[in-house]
Amino acid sequence: GEQVEQRPPHLSVREGDSAVIICTYTDPNSYYFFWYKQEPGAGLQLLMKVFSSTEINEGQGFTVLLNKKDKQLSLNLTAAHPGDSAVYFCAVSAQTGGLSGKLTFGEGTQVTVIS
Amino acid sequence: DMKVTQMPRYLIKRMGENVLLECGQDMSHETMYWYRQDPGLGLQLIYISYDVDSNSEGDIPKGYRVSRKKREHFSLILDSAKTNQTSVYFCASSFRDREHEQYFGPGTRLTVL
């Protein structure tokens, strides 16, 4: 089945700097790609989604890139601010499969923004 | 207000005791999920429910069972809890035709002593 490896597990970044989190997946049928943000004591909040038909998506303060050739999904935090401190998870889902919509999660990255 | 709720938020039990974790959603989602989150492992799917009394095992169902008697409620039951079931448990929900877009509850931190 699908496996998702997320790196790095911990990331410290100075306020105003940029940072990158990368997930590598294995299933070539993967179609839906997500980034979730988890703040302390809270559940996962959907940050951004990318479908296989698109390869880039931009939000406020971050960019998501999908490299289907290398089976990599990245989250680029641009101009980090203290509110970005959280655990970030990538998640991948195939378009078809025995369990429709089953998400496979990466291990998570603890991001700490230093003022 | 679209929301997934979980009760309780924190729970301490002794090994061998029964545990009931409850989840509710107000979005009329057909599909609901239970995950557990352990350090360095991300989230692992325990059970998925496609609607009332329509439940399927996820990746790690052993030691757990679920109950869904109303569309808006989904319960996770641990009969005779074990110490290795200490974890944070998350409930999620989604529409049946958008199961890749899941909304998560705040989690329940369960400690089994």
Side-chain angles (χ1 to χ4, degrees):
Chain A
E2 174 84 85
Q3 294 183 34
V4 178
E5 182 179 331
Q6 183 173 341
R7 291 288 181 267
H10 302 277
L11 190 55
S12 291
V13 56
R14 291 196 180 279
E15 187 173 359
D17 286 352
S18 60
V20 179
I21 305 170
I22 295 176
C23 285
T24 305
Y25 59 95
T26 58
D27 188 350
N29 293 319
S30 297
Y31 189 84
Y32 303 106
F33 304 87
F34 303 88
W35 283 101
Y36 285 90
K37 178 181 180 181
Q38 184 183 28
E39 294 178 341
L44 278 70
Q45 177 187 6
L46 181 63
L47 194 63
M48 181 64 72
K49 58 188 177 187
V50 175
F51 295 168
S52 188
S53 56
T54 63
E55 294 183 343
I56 184 169
N57 208 346
E58 292 179 315
Q60 204 162 8
F62 54 88
T63 303
V64 171
L65 297 173
L66 175 62
N67 180 337
K68 288 181 283 187
K69 173 177 172 290
D70 295 331
K71 298 192 194 71
Q72 284 191 339
L73 176 73
S74 67
L75 174 69
N76 294 29
L77 293 171
T78 54
H81 59 86
D84 291 332
S85 293
V87 180
Y88 292 82
F89 290 94
C90 63
V92 179
S93 174
Q95 191 171 20
T96 59
L99 272 181
S100 175
K102 176 179 178 290
L103 289 176
T104 301
F105 286 84
E107 302 94 325
T109 297
Q110 173 71 61
V111 173
T112 303
V113 179
I114 304 165
S115 299
Chain B
D1 188 22
M2 300 190 302
K3 195 186 290 188
V4 178
T5 58
Q6 290 185 238
M7 290 293 288
R9 294 294 313 279
Y10 302 91
L11 187 60
I12 300 175
K13 288 285 193 178
R14 294 193 180 279
M15 191 169 59
E17 292 185 329
N18 298 333
V19 176
L20 173 65
L21 305 184
E22 311 235 48
C23 175
Q25 50 96 4
D26 61 2
M27 296 171 277
S28 300
H29 286 163
E30 300 93 341
T31 310
M32 296 185 74
Y33 314 78
W34 275 107
Y35 294 89
R36 63 177 282 175
Q37 180 185 32
D38 300 291
L41 293 178
L43 273 74
Q44 297 173 274
L45 180 65
I46 305 171
Y47 266 95
I48 182 171
S49 173
Y50 295 103
D51 212 325
V52 172
D53 286 330
S54 179
N55 307 318
S56 291
E57 294 181 348
D59 296 325
I60 52 163
K62 189 178 178 182
Y64 304 94
R65 62 183 175 94
V66 292
S67 175
R68 185 131 179 243
K69 297 302 181 184
K70 292 183 179 180
R71 179 172 279 188
E72 61 270 23
H73 290 133
F74 190 32
S75 301
L76 180 69
I77 301 135
L78 288 66
D79 296 313
S80 188
K82 300 173 182 53
T83 55
N84 62 9
Q85 291 178 308
T86 292
S87 187
V88 181
Y89 292 86
F90 286 98
C91 173
S93 70
S94 71
F95 287 115
R96 185 68 172 93
D97 60 351
R98 297 178 70 82
E99 288 174 14
H100 53 276
E101 283 194 22
Q102 298 177 22
Y103 293 81
F104 284 82
T108 294
R109 182 174 293 277
L110 171 67
T111 302
V112 182
L113 301 174

